[in-house]
Amino acid sequence: MSKVLVVDDEPNIVLSLEFLMQRAGFEVITAENGEQALALVADQAPDLVLLDISLPGISGFDVLERLRADTAHKRLLIIMLTAHGREVEREKGLALGADDYITKPFSTQALVDKVKGLLDEGR
């Protein structure tokens, strides 16, 4: 069973993503900030991270950068989630090594399909 890490500081979003991913058959772990996310990636080795950009403390972009700089996590699948749909943020996320980028609000089915598609490709 693939493990998905959900990183968001909004409890309602964490709950809905956790429920959605569990219903799709994934094991789910959650973090509410960047520091917690980095610790969980090191400790739990998720297969994919759903990473919000706007986090307290270190931003999702910083988390992404740190994970991509670490050879142990270079191949970790990361989907950036953001309420900011600006093209410049999308380009920054992709340039830093995100595998995909989704703007809130998003279709739950489209997100599940994207996660499954990336995990299938990564096998």
Side-chain angles (χ1 to χ4, degrees):
M1 178 186 299
S2 295
K3 188 184 298 183
V4 175
L5 170 59
V6 174
V7 187
D8 202 304
D9 61 329
E10 293 181 42
N12 293 344
I13 291 175
V14 171
L15 278 173
S16 61
L17 287 173
E18 184 176 24
F19 175 76
L20 183 69
M21 292 296 126
Q22 285 173 339
R23 215 177 73 210
F26 300 112
E27 183 183 336
V28 182
I29 50 178
T30 63
E32 60 192 35
N33 60 50
E35 289 86 354
Q36 207 177 23
L38 291 168
L40 283 169
V41 166
D43 190 46
Q44 302 271 329
D47 300 293
L48 183 141
V49 180
L50 293 174
L51 179 61
D52 186 29
I53 289 176
S54 304
L55 296 169
I58 61 174
S59 76
F61 285 135
D62 292 335
V63 172
L64 174 63
E65 239 175 330
R66 289 189 197 184
L67 290 173
R68 288 299 181 237
D70 184 337
T71 52
H73 306 301
K74 244 184 180 19
R75 314 228 15 103
L76 177 63
L77 296 168
I78 300 173
I79 299 177
M80 302 300 289
L81 298 175
T82 182
H84 314 288
R86 296 197 308 265
E87 193 59 32
V88 65
E89 287 194 325
R90 177 183 168 80
E91 287 170 11
K92 180 178 179 181
L94 295 174
L96 289 174
D99 294 286
D100 214 327
Y101 190 98
I102 295 178
T103 306
K104 299 175 194 171
F106 44 80
S107 151
T108 54
Q109 190 55 53
L111 178 61
V112 168
D113 291 346
K114 204 164 277 233
V115 168
K116 285 183 174 175
L118 279 172
L119 287 167
D120 287 344
E121 282 173 30
R123 293 221 156 100

